[in-house]
């Protein structure tokens, strides 16, 4: 038996859609405190809403919609309905009452079923709509409400119990990986960390040398923490096992670039530092990507690089893996590691035989012979411009 406060008995005439529309009109000009009761909690992300409807669907076997207070379907077991308007859902949110619909297509974006407002902290945060004959599905409505409250409470406790470093890790990695972070929760924390959403920033990647991790991680951690403090980086995290990520405001970076370069030089035997291109905080994944490419493209012997110095590398990074594999099969696959190393030195010496001999301590005839052998193996002549370009691009890949 369902609680009396949840559903109106059939003998007392179930709350009609007509009466709901009247209530919605009456509440159209709500005072501020009344409007505030229909704000969605910061902990309901699209992923959580989808989890809720999927869980309820598994129990009742019907399609379920999670509708925000404006009437937009936020999540649904019917993917085609996400983002569409649900008239009765909006009216249920406005009136705060359960609404049953007994005819399909009688109202905009609405099908036969039960629409139940969900309260959280004395506010209506959304409406759960369960499709089907109201007499059959109304028994699942209360269960759907309880499931929603439990899942929201779980998320709130999880967020509340996070340490400051865990929050920074969650948000920074979420921004970089395009994860679903609720806008209000994100905005609240960015404000607290004094990060202006309208100011350009850059991502720093500090990569620890793999052979130094066991010995220097403790001392490096302290040094890196001091570095972030000097650079006024409020949003940073450590990614196990060997990388630090940090957001620095672009204007601050330009003022303190030399300080960062000096740090990289001081710890050149322990880590590399790459700086991504400028981007707004909500697009920091672009800066993270360019920093990653810069890190992979860092010249031998260097410990510091900026993505702004790259050009060809960024273009090559956008090529899909299948195309890269096909291109490498035509160029480098038949060459040995010694051949590849000679080509790298040869191209770094601007294809000068004299400079290559000086770098490799090889005789000119030996270098010429080895370059000719590379030509025979792969069909590209390193001493001819067009073929050299092909080999150079392949090496960059």
């Amino acid at each position: 038996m369902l609680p009396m406060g949840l559903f109106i008995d059939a003998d007392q005439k179930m709350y009609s859609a007509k009466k709901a529309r009247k209530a919605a009109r009456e509440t159209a000009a709500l005072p501020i405190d009344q409007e505030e009761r229909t704000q969605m909690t910061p902990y309901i992300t699209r992923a959580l809403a989808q989890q809720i409807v999927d869980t309820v669907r598994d129990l009742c076997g019907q399609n379920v919609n999670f509708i925000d207070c404006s009437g937009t379907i936020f999540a649904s077991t019917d993917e085609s309905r996400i983002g569409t308007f649900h008239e009765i859902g909006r009216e249920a949110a406005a009136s705060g009452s359960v609404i049953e619909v007994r005819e399909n297509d009688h109202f905009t974006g609405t099908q036969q079923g039960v629409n139940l407002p969900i309260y959280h902290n004395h506010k209506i945060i959304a409406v759960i709509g369960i499709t089907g004959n109201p007499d059959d599905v109304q028994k699942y409505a209360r269960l759907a409400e309880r499931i929603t409250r439990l899942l929201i409470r779980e998320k709130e406790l999880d967020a509340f119990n996070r340490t400051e470093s865990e929050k920074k890790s969650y948000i920074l990695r979420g921004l970089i990986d395009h994860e679903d972070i609720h806008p209000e929760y994100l905005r609240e924390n960015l404000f607290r960390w004094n990060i202006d959403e309208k100011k350009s920033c850059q991502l720093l990647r500090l990569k620890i040398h793999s052979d130094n991790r066991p010995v220097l991680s403790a001392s490096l951690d302290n040094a890196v923490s001091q570095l972030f403090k000097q650079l006024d980086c409020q949003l940073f995290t450590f990614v196990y096992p060997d990388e630090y990520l940090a957001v620095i405001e672009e204007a601050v970076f330009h003022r303190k670039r030399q300080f960062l370069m000096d740090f990289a030089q001081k710890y050149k035997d322990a880590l590399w530092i790459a700086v991504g291109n400028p981007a707004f905080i909500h697009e920091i994944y672009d800066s993270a990507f360019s920093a990653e490419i810069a890190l992979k493209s860092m010249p031998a012997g260097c410990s510091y690089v900026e993505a702004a110095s790259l050009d060809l590398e960024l273009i090559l990074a956008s090529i899909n893996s299948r195309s890269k594999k096909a291109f490498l099969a035509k160029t480098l696959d038949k060459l040995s590691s010694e051949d590849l190393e000679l080509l790298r030195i040869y191209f770094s010496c601007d294809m000068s035989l004299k400079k290559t001999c000086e770098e490799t301590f090889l005789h000119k005839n030996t270098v010429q012979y080895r370059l000719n052998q590379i030509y025979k193996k792969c069909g590209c002549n390193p001493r001819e411009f067009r073929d050299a370009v092909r080999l150079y691009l392949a090496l960059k890949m």
Side-chain angles (χ1 to χ4, degrees), residues 132-176:
N133 186 321
D135 295 333
D136 298 328
V137 302
Q138 65 175 239
K139 60 185 176 182
Y140 297 108
R142 183 63 176 173
L143 185 58
E145 180 188 37
R146 289 179 177 176
I147 289 172
T148 302
R149 287 183 177 180
L150 285 171
L151 289 174
I152 292 171
R153 183 59 177 159
E154 181 183 326
K155 288 293 182 182
E156 285 184 327
L157 288 173
D158 180 55
F160 180 78
N161 290 328
R162 285 191 188 114
T163 64
E164 191 72 359
S165 62
E166 288 172 335
K167 287 181 180 179
K168 290 180 178 181
S169 177
Y170 168 73
I171 286 179
L172 182 51
R173 297 184 69 174
L175 288 170
I176 292 173

Side-chain angles (χ1 to χ4, degrees), residues 92-111:
S95 66
S97 302
V98 177
I99 300 178
E100 291 188 357
V101 178
R102 295 188 172 274
E103 295 181 24
N104 286 331
D105 303 322
H106 201 67
F107 308 100
T108 304
T110 302
Q111 297 180 8

Side-chain angles (χ1 to χ4, degrees), residues 281-301:
I281 189 65
H282 292 283
E283 299 168 346
I284 199 67
Y285 47 82
D286 283 338
S287 186
F289 175 74
S290 61
E292 183 178 11
I293 298 304
L295 199 59
K296 292 178 179 178
S297 306
M298 186 175 294

